[in-house]
Amino acid sequence: MDRRQSIVDAARQSFSLYGYKATTMDHVAKIANVGKGTIYTFFSSKEELFEVIVQELIRNVKSLAMNALDPKKAFFENLHRALFAVLEYRQEEEILLRLTREVRDFGTPAATEGLKRIEEAILGFIKRQLELGMENGSILKCDAELVAFMIFKTYVALLLEWNHEERALTNEDIAMAFQRVFAEGLNP
Amino acid sequence: MDRRQSIVDAARQSFSLYGYKATTMDHVAKIANVGKGTIYTFFSSKEELFEVIVQELIRNVKSLAMNALDPKKAFFENLHRALFAVLEYRQEEEILLRLTREVRDFGTPAATEGLKRIEEAILGFIKRQLELGMENGSILKCDAELVAFMIFKTYVALLLEWNHEERALTNEDIAMAFQRVFAEGLNP
DNA sequence: ACTTGACCGTATTCGTCATTTGGTCAATTT
DNA sequence: AAATTGACCAAATGACGAATACGGTCAAGT
């Protein structure tokens, strides 16, 4: 295994366990079994190393979303499937949990920026699906950028902010609400 | 003017300027021109004093929402008018800005709880409007609690989190998006 | 009877010094 | 000659203890 990959793997591990701020380059070097200065032959800074990890996460998210789509299913069902897959990944991927907590607790600039980039990738995916949906007649014409934002924020709020203990939301609850509100609308 | 009201007014002023945490009872006493011990003849604790201010804010929010409704306008236009009024108030009322910032920066428990109570009052208003709308046939049957949550979270995200400098959102943009997505739906 | 502000235990803040960190580069290794 | 290392450095961060502040209390004063 080459050194660059060892360093990237070590960094991913450390960011996952300790977050961005508490990850030291000394520690990354030790995990990777290289001298600290060797890191700087591949990456100009801690931030650039983190950027590589963020790019990785973005690729994973996009891949997950694409793989959740099933050509035989309806537009909104697919959108729900993709979003659910992505947000489920976000709930399980250790490094994302870590970074989310760090941003919430400390507002670390690099972590904040990294998570923002990932969110933008998700929004971009939704926007493209909306545009495709309009082209092939699956949905009516709308402002794709704005609607993507609305859908995403609502979805995230449902998954992360809905806190009624007597009434937990199931995956089906969310899919149905999604269909009811965004697909069908509330007008008689 | 009675002492109790002086104390409440002084507290509102101090919470507005310094937030919950940095507001001291000594300072409130000085603004109100009373001895510190006098505060405790009316309120058993700092939290109880804060609670009175929160109740006030909730009353204001409810009143604003109700006053924005116009019987001659359509359901969603009214809902947008009420939400816009409430969130505009939230953007301008000094104490709410202060508390929001404090929760974001420090997560002060009392401030967090207070803002949550205000949010619940807004959600309650939306839910009631949805229920009334269903009763009089303005909207189709739906899960009022869940839909109120979705509408509110989307609205807040549009007002507070939409950050595209090349494309600021106007009141009309939001009203139209609201109508397009929640009222009409996206299905052909 | 009501009001006050000194007092108290606890919590918080602040200044200081010790330690750590990201990045550098001379020395060492390959 | 090229690649690697880890000691070093200035700046940043953290730990610690003393000083100060805070919410709540109540004896003294009005």
Side-chain angles (χ1 to χ4, degrees), chain B residues 7-141:
Chain B
I7 292 166
V8 170
D9 292 343
R12 187 190 307 108
Q13 185 178 334
S14 188
F15 288 135
S16 293
L17 288 167
Y18 309 111
Y20 182 84
K21 187 179 161 111
T23 284
T24 68
M25 298 303 260
D26 228 6
H27 190 224
V28 171
K30 286 185 171 60
I31 300 176
N33 278 306
V34 299
K36 194 167 81 162
T38 305
I39 300 182
Y40 294 89
T41 62
F42 297 106
F43 310 97
S44 65
S45 65
K46 182 178 177 181
E47 285 204 355
E48 190 182 310
L49 179 54
F50 182 63
E51 172 62 26
V52 171
I53 306 293
V54 170
Q55 288 294 342
E56 235 179 51
L57 292 169
I58 288 172
R59 275 196 300 276
N60 290 347
V61 157
K62 283 183 176 176
S63 167
L64 267 174
M66 289 306 302
N67 291 342
L69 301 179
D70 179 343
K72 294 196 292 293
K73 295 210 185 322
F75 181 84
F76 274 98
E77 189 174 344
N78 264 330
L79 198 52
H80 163 68
R81 288 164 61 93
L83 281 173
F84 193 80
V86 166
L87 292 175
E88 202 175 35
Y89 170 69
R90 195 172 121 168
Q91 293 289 87
E92 289 166 0
E93 181 61 64
E94 205 58 53
I95 188 170
L96 287 172
L97 288 175
R98 233 317 172 206
L99 293 175
T100 300
R101 202 181 318 156
E102 181 171 347
V103 168
R104 190 191 63 207
D105 295 344
F106 309 110
T108 313
T112 302
E113 186 61 31
L115 288 184
K116 184 180 167 195
R117 301 269 313 297
I118 294 168
E119 176 171 310
E120 279 163 5
I122 300 173
L123 280 169
F125 170 83
I126 302 174
K127 184 184 172 194
R128 266 187 306 280
Q129 296 306 310
L130 288 172
E131 283 163 348
L132 288 179
M134 283 187 258
E135 278 170 28
N136 66 31
S138 302
I139 60 169
L140 296 175
K141 186 168 161 53

Side-chain angles (χ1 to χ4, degrees), chain A residues 140 143 153-154 161 167 186, chain B residues 143 153-154 161 167 186:
Chain A
L140 297 175
D143 183 330
K153 291 297 179 180
T154 305
E161 291 172 50
R167 192 188 169 190
L186 294 167
Chain B
D143 182 330
K153 290 297 179 182
T154 303
E161 291 172 49
R167 189 189 173 190
L186 294 167

Side-chain angles (χ1 to χ4, degrees), chain A residues 99-149:
Chain A
L99 293 175
T100 300
R101 202 181 319 158
E102 182 171 345
V103 167
R104 189 190 64 208
D105 294 344
F106 309 109
T108 314
T112 302
E113 186 61 31
L115 289 183
K116 185 179 165 196
R117 302 267 316 296
I118 294 168
E119 177 172 307
E120 279 163 4
I122 299 173
L123 280 169
F125 170 82
I126 301 173
K127 185 183 172 198
R128 267 189 305 280
Q129 295 307 307
L130 287 172
E131 284 163 349
L132 288 178
M134 285 187 256
E135 279 169 29
N136 66 31
S138 302
I139 60 169
L140 297 175
K141 185 165 160 57
C142 66
D143 183 330
E145 189 175 29
L146 194 44
V147 173
F149 181 83

Side-chain angles (χ1 to χ4, degrees), chain A residues 76 104 116 130 137-143 145-147 149-151 153-154 157-158 161-164 167 169 173 177-188, chain B residues 76 104 116 130 137-143 145-147 149-151 153-154 157-158 161-164 167 169 173 177-188:
Chain A
F76 274 98
R104 189 190 64 208
K116 185 179 165 196
L130 287 172
S138 302
I139 60 169
L140 297 175
K141 185 165 160 57
C142 66
D143 183 330
E145 189 175 29
L146 194 44
V147 173
F149 181 83
M150 292 168 78
I151 288 175
K153 291 297 179 180
T154 305
L158 280 175
E161 291 172 50
W162 177 270
N163 40 27
H164 293 53
R167 192 188 169 190
L169 292 180
D173 289 334
F178 208 55
Q179 178 73 17
R180 182 82 210 74
V181 174
F182 289 108
E184 295 159 14
L186 294 167
N187 270 351
Chain B
F76 274 98
R104 190 191 63 207
K116 184 180 167 195
L130 288 172
S138 302
I139 60 169
L140 296 175
K141 186 168 161 53
C142 65
D143 182 330
E145 189 176 30
L146 194 45
V147 173
F149 181 82
M150 290 167 79
I151 287 174
K153 290 297 179 182
T154 303
L158 282 175
E161 291 172 49
W162 177 268
N163 39 28
H164 292 54
R167 189 189 173 190
L169 292 181
D173 290 334
F178 209 55
Q179 178 73 17
R180 180 85 210 74
V181 173
F182 288 109
E184 294 158 18
L186 294 167
N187 269 351

Side-chain angles (χ1 to χ4, degrees), chain A residues 36-176:
Chain A
K36 193 168 72 158
T38 305
I39 300 182
Y40 294 89
T41 63
F42 297 106
F43 310 97
S44 65
S45 65
K46 183 178 178 181
E47 284 203 356
E48 188 180 312
L49 178 54
F50 182 63
E51 171 63 25
V52 170
I53 307 292
V54 171
Q55 288 294 342
E56 235 180 53
L57 292 170
I58 288 173
R59 275 196 301 274
N60 289 346
V61 158
K62 283 183 178 175
S63 167
L64 266 175
M66 289 305 303
N67 290 343
L69 302 180
D70 179 345
K72 297 195 292 294
K73 295 210 184 323
F75 181 84
F76 274 98
E77 190 174 344
N78 265 330
L79 199 51
H80 163 68
R81 287 164 61 95
L83 281 172
F84 193 81
V86 166
L87 292 176
E88 201 176 37
Y89 171 70
R90 194 170 121 168
Q91 292 288 87
E92 289 166 2
E93 180 63 62
E94 205 57 51
I95 189 171
L96 288 171
L97 288 176
R98 208 48 175 119
L99 293 175
T100 300
R101 202 181 319 158
E102 182 171 345
V103 167
R104 189 190 64 208
D105 294 344
F106 309 109
T108 314
T112 302
E113 186 61 31
L115 289 183
K116 185 179 165 196
R117 302 267 316 296
I118 294 168
E119 177 172 307
E120 279 163 4
I122 299 173
L123 280 169
F125 170 82
I126 301 173
K127 185 183 172 198
R128 267 189 305 280
Q129 295 307 307
L130 287 172
E131 284 163 349
L132 288 178
M134 285 187 256
E135 279 169 29
N136 66 31
S138 302
I139 60 169
L140 297 175
K141 185 165 160 57
C142 66
D143 183 330
E145 189 175 29
L146 194 44
V147 173
F149 181 83
M150 292 168 78
I151 288 175
F152 179 64
K153 291 297 179 180
T154 305
Y155 209 91
V156 169
L158 280 175
L159 277 198
L160 304 185
E161 291 172 50
W162 177 270
N163 40 27
H164 293 53
E165 285 90 14
E166 347 78 41
R167 192 188 169 190
L169 292 180
T170 64
N171 185 10
E172 282 72 45
D173 289 334
I174 298 178
M176 278 178 57

